[in-house]
Amino acid sequence: MAATASAGAGGIDGKPRTSPKLSAGLLRQATYTTTRLGIYTVLFERLTGADGTPPGFLLKAVIGMTAGATGAFVGTPAEVALIRMTADGRLPADQRRGYKNVFNALIRITREEGVLTLWRGCIPTMARAVVVNAAQLASYSQSKQFLLDSGYFSDNILCHFCASMISGLVTTAASMPVDIAKTRIQNMRMIDGKPEYKNGLDVLFKVVRYEGFFSLWKGFTPYYARLGPHTVLTFIFLEQMNKAYKRLFLSG
């Protein structure tokens, strides 16, 4: 009984157990998220008019696409490691890769399968990022602008919260199909010497054909329940850090 309690708390030896997936998730955020938000913020400010007029919606979408594609390319190795480590627990014991952490995964993938394998699925990952960031970043900026122009909101946390919730809804609807394609390609295995899927479009065709059209949005509610708070926290922290940066470094 004592051994069971000890194992539940952190292992039979009493040492805390940290999920290997956590390191992969943190590295992904440190590469992908910081890159896309940084590029979007810089380009948005560069393309804002001298009189403070923000870019139009289409230009915002293009900025979001650029930021998303660049961030996705930088973050793909961590994404590949995260996908594999997440899938490992569902595989039979003799098929598990058993990565210890994200760095062990990156080293082993490079050594066993070649460095280019770190960018396997890079194209669908970048395609997903283009869609997600065009939807998320552009819809957030546009929603925020609309709320401010309505006269009922000022540039504060309440406005940021409402705009980011709208952005999360738009992003969920736009990103789920490409998210399915990206995940299945990165997690696919070879069958009789051939890859399970040819490309992202092949994934979508097979899902629609064998599982139904609306399977592309299966799990919409829990997906939004995850993405909504994530989007809210992302933009609230981004807005506050931008304000702090301007106050501390640009006010003079």
Side-chain angles (χ1 to χ4, degrees):
M1 193 73 175
T4 303
S6 177
I12 294 177
D13 58 1
K15 295 180 180 179
R17 297 296 187 227
T18 302
S19 171
K21 293 184 292 184
L22 178 61
S23 62
L26 291 174
L27 183 62
R28 178 184 179 276
Q29 294 299 327
T31 52
Y32 167 65
T33 301
T34 56
T35 301
R36 73 185 180 98
L37 293 179
I39 290 177
Y40 182 82
T41 301
V42 170
L43 292 179
F44 187 91
E45 291 179 351
R46 292 282 179 89
L47 295 173
T48 297
D51 59 351
T53 304
F57 179 75
L58 290 179
L59 187 53
K60 290 173 186 172
V62 172
I63 297 172
M65 291 177 184
T66 304
T70 307
F73 181 82
V74 173
T76 293
E79 180 85 5
V80 170
L82 178 60
I83 292 293
R84 290 189 174 198
M85 294 165 78
T86 301
D88 228 25
R90 300 193 296 269
L91 296 173
D94 61 334
Q95 296 182 21
R96 293 177 185 172
R97 299 180 175 98
Y99 300 132
K100 297 177 182 178
N101 53 58
V102 66
F103 301 108
N104 176 251
L106 297 177
I107 291 171
R108 281 185 51 191
I109 291 171
T110 302
R111 182 185 302 152
E112 297 169 7
E113 304 175 51
V115 67
L116 293 181
T117 306
L118 294 175
W119 279 270
R120 175 180 290 175
C122 182
I123 299 302
T125 300
M126 292 176 69
R128 175 191 181 272
V130 165
V131 173
V132 167
N133 287 277
Q136 186 183 58
L137 299 178
S139 65
Y140 172 77
S141 297
Q142 196 69 23
S143 298
K144 177 184 172 183
Q145 182 180 338
F146 174 79
L147 293 174
L148 291 175
D149 290 345
S150 70
Y152 295 103
F153 292 85
S154 57
D155 192 0
N156 55 25
I157 289 181
L158 176 61
C159 176
H160 304 157
F161 173 83
C162 294
S164 56
M165 286 299 288
I166 296 171
S167 172
L169 186 63
V170 173
T171 307
T172 299
S175 67
M176 286 192 73
V178 288
D179 207 24
I180 289 174
K182 174 192 71 70
T183 302
R184 294 200 184 188
I185 283 180
Q186 288 184 323
N187 199 37
M188 71 178 176
R189 288 186 171 273
M190 303 298 287
I191 299 176
D192 296 329
K194 297 180 180 179
E196 189 176 0
Y197 302 105
K198 297 177 182 178
N199 49 50
L201 288 177
D202 186 46
V203 174
L204 297 180
F205 284 140
K206 287 182 177 179
V207 169
V208 172
R209 180 178 180 182
Y210 297 112
E211 302 175 38
F213 178 74
F214 289 103
S215 293
L216 296 174
W217 290 275
K218 184 183 295 182
F220 183 94
T221 301
Y223 193 102
Y224 178 61
R226 178 187 69 83
L227 187 63
H230 176 272
T231 304
V232 168
L233 292 175
T234 296
F235 285 118
I236 285 180
F237 278 110
L238 178 65
E239 293 279 6
Q240 297 307 307
M241 286 189 288
N242 282 339
K243 286 184 178 181
Y245 176 79
K246 291 175 182 178
R247 184 176 65 253
L248 295 175
F249 298 101
L250 302 181
S251 59

